[in-house]
Amino acid sequence: MIGFIQGRLVPQVNGMIQAFPWEDWQKEIALADSIGIHCMEWTLDQAGLYDNPLMTEQGQAEIRALCDKHHLTIPNLTGDCFMQAPFWKAESAAEKTALLADFEAICRAASTVGIRNIVVPLVDNGSLQTEAETACLIDALLARKALFDSLGIAILFESDFAPQPLAEFIAKLPAPTFGINYDSGNSAGIGYDVKQEWAAYGERIVNLHIKDRLYQGTTVPLGSGAADFPSLFACMAEAKYSGDIILQTARAADGDHLRAILAYRAFVKDGLKQAGGTYD
């Protein structure tokens, strides 16, 4: 299903391209329904983590009620909190323990509202820089595999690794509990080849973020950056990709966020159609 990342239909928070929309999160669900989009990916920040409605019983009940009313599914969560405070870079055992407790709490909370995929960004502040960090991450998550399975949760990694190193990394973590979140903009910004990426680990891609970026630059409207969308759509069609497609696109310069997201959805559907694929 084609959906959007939470916050893209409402005004930006403090000028940030992505942050939990504290003032508008309920309104955004109704707005999505009004334009016929019924899939959204939740966002979670480290600041105010336990005040987020996802993390409270009252908030979870409200999320479920709003989703029922507006026919919205929330299959995925992007954990920006993990990038902002990565347990694999904790400076003390106590900090690592606390952050892992947060991770477990987020998984339990996500499960209560039907979220089945949790995206862990291994980019920017979360990027794996040493073998010790990689081992810490893998060991901690493998130790919690039984928890993830009991909750019906899969852990997906968004990474800045080149194709082969990412294939080698994900091979250490068993499917379906672990998989990959492919981000078209991040790959374009680094300069990776789409066909090489999908050849290396395409069978492990479970969720897909669509955005465009300039090479070594910022997010821009779809089709105006370095992303090779024809090749991406061809790879998706060839692989018969059936996971979600989440629009994590550039914000509308004129503030008309609904028009922008509809245009981006049409861009994706048209591109897939030309590549011989179909998508709702």
Side-chain angles (χ1 to χ4, degrees):
M1 185 176 293
I2 298 178
F4 67 99
I5 200 89
Q6 189 175 38
R8 287 305 200 270
L9 303 186
V10 293
Q12 292 174 251
V13 177
N14 298 325
M16 294 184 288
I17 191 170
Q18 184 165 302
F20 180 76
W22 292 96
E23 301 297 325
D24 297 307
W25 73 269
Q26 298 104 324
K27 174 184 175 183
E28 185 171 42
I29 292 174
L31 286 172
D33 191 12
S34 75
I35 59 173
I37 295 182
H38 297 112
C39 177
M40 182 183 79
E41 185 163 306
W42 199 267
T43 60
L44 200 58
D45 296 309
Q46 186 67 18
L49 176 63
Y50 287 95
D51 293 325
N52 190 288
L54 179 68
M55 303 300 289
T56 70
E57 289 187 9
Q58 180 180 347
Q60 292 160 10
E62 187 173 8
I63 292 167
R64 290 192 295 268
L66 285 168
C67 286
D68 287 344
K69 179 179 179 180
H70 295 289
H71 317 290
L72 185 79
T73 62
I74 307 176
N76 314 302
L77 176 152
T78 281
D80 285 341
C81 51
F82 307 132
M83 177 177 62
Q84 294 155 358
F87 69 79
W88 53 95
K89 296 190 179 190
E91 295 183 358
S92 68
E95 182 187 8
K96 178 183 175 183
T97 297
L99 291 174
L100 280 168
D102 289 347
F103 199 111
E104 294 178 5
I106 290 164
C107 290
R108 292 189 175 94
S111 182
T112 68
V113 300
I115 291 171
R116 63 177 186 269
N117 297 316
I118 293 181
V119 178
V120 177
L122 304 178
V123 297
D124 299 329
N125 190 56
S127 181
L128 293 172
Q129 300 295 325
T130 67
E131 291 184 5
E133 290 175 1
T134 301
C136 176
L137 174 68
I138 291 175
D139 292 347
L141 295 184
L142 283 177
R144 289 161 176 79
K145 180 181 182 299
L147 171 65
F148 304 145
D149 291 345
S150 70
L151 295 171
I153 291 288
I155 306 301
L156 311 183
F157 301 98
E158 181 175 308
S159 172
D160 55 12
F161 281 163
Q164 191 56 38
L166 182 51
E168 293 169 1
F169 169 82
I170 200 62
K172 299 174 183 177
L173 294 156
T177 309
F178 303 98
I180 290 174
N181 179 88
Y182 182 83
D183 188 299
S184 63
N186 289 351
S187 291
I190 298 172
Y192 294 148
D193 182 273
V194 174
K195 294 179 181 178
Q196 290 179 3
E197 291 176 310
W198 280 71
Y201 54 76
E203 73 280 359
R204 299 296 300 271
I205 296 173
V206 179
N207 192 45
L208 201 154
H209 286 174
I210 288 284
K211 66 173 177 271
D212 204 349
R213 289 178 64 174
L214 301 173
Y215 175 60
Q216 297 183 342
T218 191
T219 300
V220 294
L222 297 185
S224 63
D228 181 1
F229 286 113
S231 290
L232 172 59
F233 296 144
C235 287
M236 291 169 65
E238 182 178 357
K240 295 181 173 58
Y241 175 78
S242 59
D244 293 315
I245 298 173
I246 303 299
L247 300 170
Q248 196 182 31
T249 39
R251 304 304 297 255
D254 61 0
D256 191 348
H257 303 299
L258 300 186
R259 177 200 56 76
I261 220 75
L262 287 173
Y264 292 143
R265 183 177 67 171
F267 178 96
V268 172
K269 293 181 75 170
D270 290 347
L272 281 171
K273 184 177 180 180
Q274 292 176 24
T278 58
Y279 223 86
D280 295 330

